Amino acid sequence: MKTANFIAGGRRLKGELRADGLLYDAAGEAHHPDQVQFLLPLKPGKVIALALNYADHVAELGFKAPEEPVMFLKPNTSLLPHGGTVIYPRGAKFMHYEVELGIVIGRDARRVKARDAQDYVGGYTIANDLVVRDYVSNYYRPPMRAKGWDTFGPMGPYLVSADEITDPYNLGLRAYVNGELRQEGSTKDMILKAPELIEFMSRFMTLEAGDVILTGTPKGVSHVHPGDVMRMEIDGLGALENPVALEDESAEPLIAQEGERK
């Protein structure tokens, strides 16, 4: 089942996407996806993101593969629905997209073993883990300033139930900018998949129903600019699209690189 939260006719609704391509709300009224304002498909308690979880992306950045998961928290204030505008910070030198599979926890998990972990997956969604690369010098420091900006976590448009995805580790991922294919990969190339990640994380913290794990991105990142439109696609999950706009002129330009001072 694919579900979405949206606004139509001034009403906040929840609907199911059916085979005819329309969203049906609780009253059975049909809505065309192009004629609604999408909201986030869920409100996570927390979003835990993975860095360097695809070997080709590790090589692309010139890093060494980590010996254990490299994690950071994505602020809920960074989350943005399908169609929302991503704000490009004034002074940023290199901002890029990252198409990622989002794993949605279906029930509370604590000290779960990998062999049982798939039973705790409630569904999947698409995420775009945006980053100002200027602020990432190594992976030992959580990249909060690089990835924690407001609007830097587009997610959606749908929450897809786990039973609808036969093999979540054989899904094609693609990122387009202004219609040009920029990034392409497959979830089969993840270094660590949901079972290992849930076991690792739930050993020291409770994963609650509705939490989201962002599982990393393959190679193919590139610069986006104000005026661009990003489109993230994952097989079976749909497409997440967001335009980019320059931050308001009243904002003081950021210091682009760590340690850089005038």
Side-chain angles (χ1 to χ4, degrees), residues 163-224:
D163 60 357
E164 188 160 318
I165 304 300
T166 303
D167 185 359
Y169 310 113
N170 191 26
L171 302 176
L173 305 94
R174 294 167 295 278
Y176 296 84
V177 179
N178 303 327
E180 176 190 358
L181 180 63
R182 296 273 189 92
Q183 183 180 25
E184 188 170 18
S186 172
T187 57
K188 68 183 179 182
D189 295 324
M190 284 184 193
I191 297 171
L192 295 172
K193 299 176 174 61
E196 297 90 351
L197 294 172
I198 291 173
E199 179 179 50
F200 184 86
M201 295 174 185
S202 72
R203 179 63 184 87
F204 60 89
M205 66 174 164
T206 300
L207 298 175
E208 299 173 301
D211 287 350
V212 178
I213 300 173
L214 303 186
T215 54
T217 197
K219 71 175 181 180
V221 298
S222 64
H223 197 173
V224 290

Side-chain angles (χ1 to χ4, degrees), residues 11-140:
R11 297 178 297 158
R12 185 186 183 104
L13 301 169
K14 182 173 184 176
E16 177 188 348
L17 185 70
R18 296 185 183 171
D20 60 4
L22 299 178
L23 284 163
Y24 287 82
D25 63 27
E29 182 179 349
H31 306 267
H32 196 286
D34 292 342
Q35 298 173 349
V36 305
Q37 178 185 344
F38 277 89
L39 304 171
L40 289 170
L42 73 159
K43 290 186 176 180
K46 54 185 174 289
V47 178
I48 308 159
L50 270 291
L52 307 176
N53 198 34
Y54 283 76
D56 56 0
H57 183 54
V58 173
E60 175 181 43
L61 297 177
F63 287 136
K64 179 182 177 182
E67 296 181 0
E68 63 179 35
V70 177
M71 302 172 295
F72 58 95
L73 290 173
K74 194 85 171 177
N76 282 16
T77 49
S78 73
L79 301 182
L80 187 73
H82 171 70
T85 300
V86 170
I87 303 302
Y88 187 103
R90 285 187 176 272
K93 294 181 179 178
F94 183 20
M95 187 179 97
H96 66 76
Y97 53 82
E98 292 184 358
V99 59
E100 304 200 8
L101 176 67
I103 296 171
V104 181
I105 300 298
R107 57 192 175 104
D108 291 3
R110 183 74 164 95
R111 297 179 183 169
V112 173
K113 297 299 183 185
R115 63 178 178 272
D116 304 316
Q118 198 63 39
D119 294 337
Y120 289 79
V121 175
Y124 306 94
T125 193
I126 304 171
N128 183 358
D129 182 18
L130 286 147
V131 55
V132 176
R133 181 58 57 183
D134 315 23
Y135 281 149
V136 182
S137 58
N138 63 57
Y139 57 70
Y140 295 102

